[in-house]
Amino acid sequence: QVQLVQSGAEVKKPGASVKVACKTSGYTFTSYYMHWVRQAPGQGPEWMGIIDPGGGRKINAQKFQGRVTMTRDTSTSTVYMELSSLRSEDTAIYYCARALYSGSYSPPELWGQGTLVTVSS
Amino acid sequence: QSVLTQPPSASGTPGQRVTISCSGSSSNIGSNTVHWYQQLPGTAPKLLIYTNNQRPSGVPDRFSGSKSGTSASLAISGLQSEDEADYYCAAWDDSLNGFVFGTGTTVTVL
């Protein structure tokens, strides 16, 4: 069955960077785009970007331009999201979510379990 | 700050029909399809409706979606206690060149 397993919780200091991994299995890794979505405590989901694991094409949300880097490793079927210059407002659960079909317009369908990132001095 | 506006709350008794609205603009709902998510406490969002009115496999037909102009709606008929959750609409926004989520609606079963 399709699985998206994310890396464990992180605690970071302001100004640091965090890299979250999302290891996939059970499907052809390069056939589906992957979204990154975060959710701050008590808030709704916030879209961060999308990556094409096949061709490497990425679209970042304007809000995170220059701060977020999405990469993929086809040898391990893993996608990564790195967020830099962390501030307290970045405290949130970060999700990877496989798109319903190939293409940037495809909505997130299958979600990872989430990774809690806490930014605190 | 989301560009898709939903009512903060909705409620109904078991068996009733509840409708949730999602208001957007020409750059998102007006020109792209709408999707709906259900989020139970402590869990990741679950895709409930995609492409305006399509249900993924396993989603009960009590859930239905529609879209008209720059607005969309999610209807839950035959409301059940397990439908208590947060619901979010989402759509691609051509101006922002990205996905946007709605402000969210908490559904309570009285």
Side-chain angles (χ1 to χ4, degrees):
Chain A
Q1 73 280 22
V2 176
Q3 284 194 307
L4 281 64
V5 179
Q6 299 184 222
S7 48
E10 303 261 14
V11 179
K12 295 292 183 181
K13 293 193 181 303
S17 297
V18 68
K19 191 170 186 177
V20 179
C22 172
K23 183 169 177 56
T24 73
S25 60
Y27 71 98
T28 303
F29 177 67
T30 53
S31 294
Y32 294 84
Y33 284 39
M34 189 71 77
H35 296 266
W36 285 95
V37 178
R38 75 177 186 180
Q39 192 165 22
Q43 303 298 310
E46 180 176 33
W47 187 79
M48 300 182 69
I50 190 170
I51 182 170
D52 171 12
R57 179 175 176 257
K58 307 160 219 181
I59 301 175
N60 295 336
Q62 291 178 5
K63 174 177 178 177
F64 300 101
Q65 292 285 10
R67 277 216 301 150
V68 68
T69 303
M70 294 177 290
T71 56
R72 91 288 193 207
D73 183 343
T74 54
S75 68
T76 60
S77 299
T78 303
V79 293
Y80 300 90
M81 187 284 300
E82 184 170 20
L83 187 63
S84 62
S85 302
L86 290 169
R87 32 207 189 235
S88 59
E89 311 89 86
D90 294 319
T91 294
I93 298 175
Y94 289 75
Y95 294 100
C96 60
R98 196 192 78 170
L100 180 63
Y101 45 80
S102 186
S104 338
Y105 288 26
S106 174
E109 180 202 11
L110 299 173
W111 298 62
Q113 86 276 18
T115 296
L116 176 62
V117 175
T118 303
V119 183
S120 173
S121 55
Chain B
Q1 187 174 356
S2 177
V3 298
L4 301 181
T5 303
Q6 302 177 231
S9 63
S11 62
T13 56
Q16 275 191 327
R17 176 184 171 93
V18 168
T19 301
I20 301 168
S21 62
C22 175
S23 178
S25 68
S26 58
S27 64
N28 42 67
I29 295 177
S31 50
N32 295 294
T33 56
V34 178
H35 320 288
W36 290 90
Y37 293 86
Q38 177 193 59
Q39 187 172 30
L40 299 171
T43 68
K46 170 189 171 183
L47 183 63
L48 202 62
I49 297 286
Y50 66 95
T51 315
N52 303 330
N53 55 18
Q54 302 299 301
R55 283 185 307 276
S57 174
V59 173
D61 59 7
R62 304 185 292 104
F63 295 93
S64 62
S66 63
K67 179 187 127 172
S68 178
T70 59
S71 294
S73 293
L74 173 72
I76 310 173
S77 60
L79 193 64
Q80 299 182 6
S81 58
E82 58 259 39
D83 298 333
E84 276 206 343
D86 293 327
Y87 293 83
Y88 297 94
C89 58
W92 185 268
D93 189 291
D94 293 332
S95 295
L96 297 174
N97 197 35
F99 263 98
V100 289
F101 285 90
T103 50
T105 299
T106 299
V107 168
T108 303
V109 181
L110 302 171

